[in-house]
Amino acid sequence: MARNKIALIGSGMIGGTLAHLAGLKELGDIVLFDIADGIPQGKGLDIAQSSPVEGFNANLTGASDYSAIEGADVCIVTAGVARKPGMSRDDLLGINLKVMEQVGAGIKKYAPNAFVICITNPLDAMVWALQKFSGLPKNMVVGMAGVLDSARFRLFLSQEFNVSVQDVTAFVLGGHGDTMVPLARYSTIGGIPLTDLVKMGWVTKERLEEIIQRTRDGGAEIVGLLKTGSAYYAPAASAIEMAESFLKDKKRVLPCAAHLTGQYGVKDMYVGVPTIIGAGGVERIIEVEFNKAEQEAFEKSVASVAGLCEACVAIAPSLK
Ligand code: A3D
């Protein structure tokens, strides 16, 4: 059986980390693509030279011509610019929308059967635009945000309770970052919902709220520390988990920015929801019941994503 082909569109901090992880996990042959000629070739060669040491088999190549992604099974898109201190994700919209137009055209021409994972910010609007620009089936184009947001929440909870990260599950919905909606009653420690842990006296409601706020600000905390860019190890690991679920038909239940067609009362928008990812792409969207507070938080998050999509249409009317 031929190896899978993974195309990484954007070979910056996340793109390079994606290539390294995909190699270590032997997910397939890897093509790094970037407009900055030399970077994808250099990173590809460097990672390939680690393969004899690590003992993995994968061809790694770099390119600045879209024909190199031909026939890719998975495309992971990080092309664009990342945040610097003082910038919000939304400040990136104008620049990155133009990048999505080029990337969409490249994928449409050379990898129309791929499962496409978008990471470029502002995520929920960029994945929506990328699907439209590429014309690929909506279930084959998703955004990575929920896996990262929930990983951050899981880490902070494991530290708070002094338990293994493996035993913490987190359920987050809505747009990426500032308006994400963590559902405490569906987030658990060893199956025990956080709401029960509050009743059991393990944590106060106020402390839990602080942890949730730190999760929402998780990206900004790292931007503030790095000063020259944004997070890349955890975002790359999160997208690789999604790619692996598709390539191995694992049917993982993962929160992703998925195209909604009426679920949760939302139509033709990408919003973070729990999904099942398998060989068919997004095979199912899981709809849960909200209480009043959750419904309000979700609506606020959807409204902010809708605002970003409108801003995209103002720049590129063909998206309407
Ligand atoms: P960075 O290291 O700057 O890499 C971006 C790469 O894109 C650079 O190598 C550029 O040369 C390349 N690029 C720019 N324009 C084009 C183009 N038109 N075609 C092809 N390549 C191009 O950034 P990064 O890897 O740190 O971050 C990439 C993106 O991910 C940014 O938009 C971040 O904001 C976003 N991000 C999202 C999350 C989420 O959770 C959604 C987390 C972290 C970062």
Side-chain angles (χ1 to χ4, degrees), residues 3 37-38 68 87 131 188 191 197 207 224 226 248 265 301 303 307:
R3 284 188 203 143
D37 197 27
M87 285 172 91
Q131 188 281 322
T188 73
L197 289 161
R207 178 68 190 133
L226 294 179
K248 299 185 179 169
S301 187

Side-chain angles (χ1 to χ4, degrees), residues 9-15 33-36 39 43 66 77-84 89 92 96 98-100 102-103 118-123 144-145 148-149 152 176 229-232 235:
I9 304 182
S11 304
M13 300 310 288
I14 302 179
F33 173 93
D34 206 289
I35 44 162
I39 301 276
K43 289 195 179 185
Y66 273 103
V77 179
T78 59
V81 292
R83 280 197 289 172
K84 304 267 178 332
R89 291 183 182 85
L92 307 174
N96 287 350
K98 290 200 181 74
V99 176
M100 290 306 103
Q102 294 165 13
V103 174
C118 180
I119 308 186
T120 302
N121 270 321
L123 191 270
M144 186 296 294
L148 173 64
D149 287 331
R152 287 177 173 154
H176 177 43
S230 55
Y232 49 98

